Amino acid sequence: EGLRQSGGPAPMDVEENDQRGKAANTAAHSSYGQYGSTPAPTKDLVNGQIQKEADQNGGAESSAINSNTQANGKVSHPAPKENQSQPEQDPKEPVTDIVAEHTRIDLEDEKTKVMSSEVLELSKHASEVFMCAWNPIYTDLIATGSGDASARIWQMGGSDASSGCGPVRLLPHGTDPNDRKNKDVTTLEWSSDGKLLATGSYDGVARVWSRTGSLVHTLRGHRGPIFSLKWNRRGNFLLSGSYDKTTIVWDVSGSTGFVEQQFNDHVAPALDVDWKDETTFASCSTDKTVHICRVGHPRPLKTYTGHTDEVNAVKWDPSGRLLASCSDDCTAKVWDVSSERNEPLHDFKSHQQEIYTVKWSPTGPGSNNPNKPLMLATASFDGSVRLWNVQNGTCIRVFSRHRDSVYSVAFSPSGEFLASGSLAGQLYIWNVREGTHIKSFKGKGDIFEVAWNMEETRVAACFSSNTVSVIDFKSPS
């Protein structure tokens, strides 16, 4: 990851906000809904100017907004689908048994409960916080994206919750309340060198910001909400997937970003994208397919059609040889792209409901932990998280303490721990090797994403209640 730096912010960038032309006014598909977000607080200053309040709480807590009224492109912008099934009660299992099981779990969770002194609440957003990402190099920075038409870059005040929060930078995606409609920030990601943050929003515009909050690029090309954004390792290309059925590779290496290539092969919204290497990537769609594409090639190199319902996420393993996908068909599949086969190498069918996301462990060939075994984690609406051995296709662990749909999982940088967050506001940290939970946290509202910092000392969780909880973590000795 190169030299990691922390400490004070760099001198303020002087790039000006790009106001050339109005953002594309795209009418969202009715099934994805439209939403009016609460305007961002007027006290926030824009484009890298630091907010005056640098208090520990990050501002007054805003009232929760029901996530069910929000629209969802599925990936990175989770609101339950209208027809989403909830974890069902087994008709053979008496209600008293379920109550007893929940009581047992609650009592156990009390022993592993995170103390309030270990939690830093970030609460300047005025609507749901859909995603968060720690900076990989300037590791005291975390970016958050919200339904209030803004992203924020928060600087931690120190190494733990007691140190509070330092400067906060507002990244506005609308210039005034009337310009904030359909500008919910649906996805964001830091570049590998930590210098740039890419954000995608519901208006179909991708934006690139400096880490000090100045707008560097405004990328207009999609005709619908952006659901996924990924940097390639080199940082010259930014990849976006959209509700408009297309994926775009943007060249952002110069002073002006432009479309390097637009891919039009999906016949329904593109929900997720992920780079294999500097020029090859995978995309997935509600059209039930997975495409492998390469810059400079007009058509996909491969198309996988094994799923029987919408494909929610695609992720490459650290070596770039194996691709994982997950779907509303309740399966996760692993594809060996070096093979000529069109069938999956593994087809995991144990989940009882839709699988929303998959994550590879940062272990095995191509990772920073090459001597540890590679694993795949799957998170499902059935309330469980499963760990899979991709060498032999067996299920290693089933984590089933959650009482509602699990929307996010994240491995710690060492691969030793796994965090999971659910719509019931439950967060668990698991010891992967032992299969036990070692930390439990219950927040207000639903958890949409969880993320580890690079030092493996903090876990952030984004909530529908407009807040982000940053939780201290110490590895058990």
Side-chain angles (χ1 to χ4, degrees), residues 9-17 19 41-54 124 150-155 166-172 209-215:
M12 207 71 71
D13 288 351
V14 295
E15 294 145 313
E16 296 180 355
N17 195 339
Q19 299 290 351
T42 55
K43 64 187 177 186
D44 291 338
L45 301 178
V46 302
N47 284 353
Q49 293 181 282
I50 298 170
Q51 294 172 262
K52 293 179 181 178
E53 294 79 13
K124 286 186 180 294
S150 80
R152 280 177 169 80
I153 298 174
W154 313 73
Q155 184 174 2
V168 182
R169 293 171 174 81
L170 173 68
L171 281 49
W209 312 78
S210 72
R211 67 182 171 91
T212 52
S214 296
L215 185 60

Side-chain angles (χ1 to χ4, degrees), residues 106-121 161 419-420 425-430 437-443 447 452 457-461 463 469-474:
D106 287 344
L107 289 173
E108 288 183 1
D109 285 356
E110 280 296 316
K111 301 173 185 176
T112 58
K113 186 177 179 181
V114 173
M115 295 184 294
S116 59
S117 61
E118 299 174 308
V119 183
L120 173 64
E121 291 288 329
S420 59
Q426 290 174 293
L427 179 141
Y428 288 110
I429 299 176
W430 311 86
H437 84 283
I438 53 177
K439 284 282 188 181
S440 56
F441 177 75
K442 180 73 165 66
I447 296 177
W452 290 85
T457 57
R458 300 181 112 167
V459 176
F463 283 87
S469 296
V470 180
I471 299 161
D472 294 346
F473 177 77
K474 292 181 181 178

Side-chain angles (χ1 to χ4, degrees), residues 128-196:
E128 302 95 329
V129 185
F130 292 118
M131 77 292 303
C132 56
W134 290 94
N135 190 300
I137 305 298
Y138 305 93
T139 57
D140 59 345
L141 300 179
I142 185 171
T144 57
S146 170
D148 65 6
S150 80
R152 280 177 169 80
I153 298 174
W154 313 73
Q155 184 174 2
M156 299 296 96
S159 60
D160 55 28
S162 65
S163 305
C165 185
V168 182
R169 293 171 174 81
L170 173 68
L171 281 49
H173 288 62
T175 55
D176 58 65
N178 294 328
D179 191 32
R180 293 192 181 112
K181 185 178 180 182
N182 286 341
K183 286 187 171 58
D184 300 52
V185 178
T186 48
T187 183
L188 53 75
E189 187 180 64
W190 290 101
S191 58
S192 63
D193 65 4
K195 294 179 179 178
L196 297 174

Side-chain angles (χ1 to χ4, degrees), residues 187-352:
T187 183
L188 53 75
E189 187 180 64
W190 290 101
S191 58
S192 63
D193 65 4
K195 294 179 179 178
L196 297 174
L197 178 72
T199 62
S201 63
Y202 209 76
D203 63 0
V205 180
R207 296 168 174 87
V208 177
W209 312 78
S210 72
R211 67 182 171 91
T212 52
S214 296
L215 185 60
V216 180
H217 297 299
T218 302
L219 308 172
R220 297 185 174 95
H222 284 297
R223 293 175 291 107
I226 294 174
F227 294 151
S228 184
L229 272 180
K230 297 288 174 62
W231 292 93
N232 68 350
R233 182 71 189 175
R234 182 179 162 194
N236 61 317
F237 286 153
L238 183 64
L239 172 63
S240 56
S242 169
Y243 180 78
D244 68 8
K245 309 175 188 178
T246 75
T247 56
I248 295 178
V249 174
W250 306 87
D251 187 323
V252 291
S253 59
S255 58
T256 303
F258 61 88
V259 175
E260 175 71 25
Q261 188 171 349
Q262 187 164 18
F263 297 81
N264 302 283
D265 301 285
H266 285 298
V267 296
L271 296 182
D272 197 18
V273 292
D274 198 36
W275 288 103
K276 178 184 191 295
D277 53 39
E278 301 293 4
T279 58
T280 310
F281 66 90
S283 62
C284 66
S285 166
T286 61
D287 68 10
K288 309 175 188 177
T289 69
V290 174
H291 290 163
I292 314 295
C293 300
R294 181 172 293 156
V295 177
H297 290 246
R299 300 301 307 274
L301 305 179
K302 289 178 182 282
T303 297
Y304 294 123
T305 57
H307 285 291
T308 58
D309 208 333
E310 302 182 0
V311 186
N312 295 323
V314 283
K315 295 288 183 295
W316 294 98
D317 82 325
S319 74
R321 184 178 73 89
L322 301 177
L323 178 70
S325 59
C326 65
S327 167
D328 282 0
D329 66 10
C330 307
T331 75
K333 303 183 192 298
V334 176
W335 313 86
D336 183 350
V337 294
S338 64
S339 166
E340 294 302 315
R341 313 174 42 193
N342 286 323
E343 296 76 33
L345 176 66
H346 299 300
D347 196 355
F348 300 135
K349 299 180 178 180
S350 301
H351 282 292
Q352 302 303 302

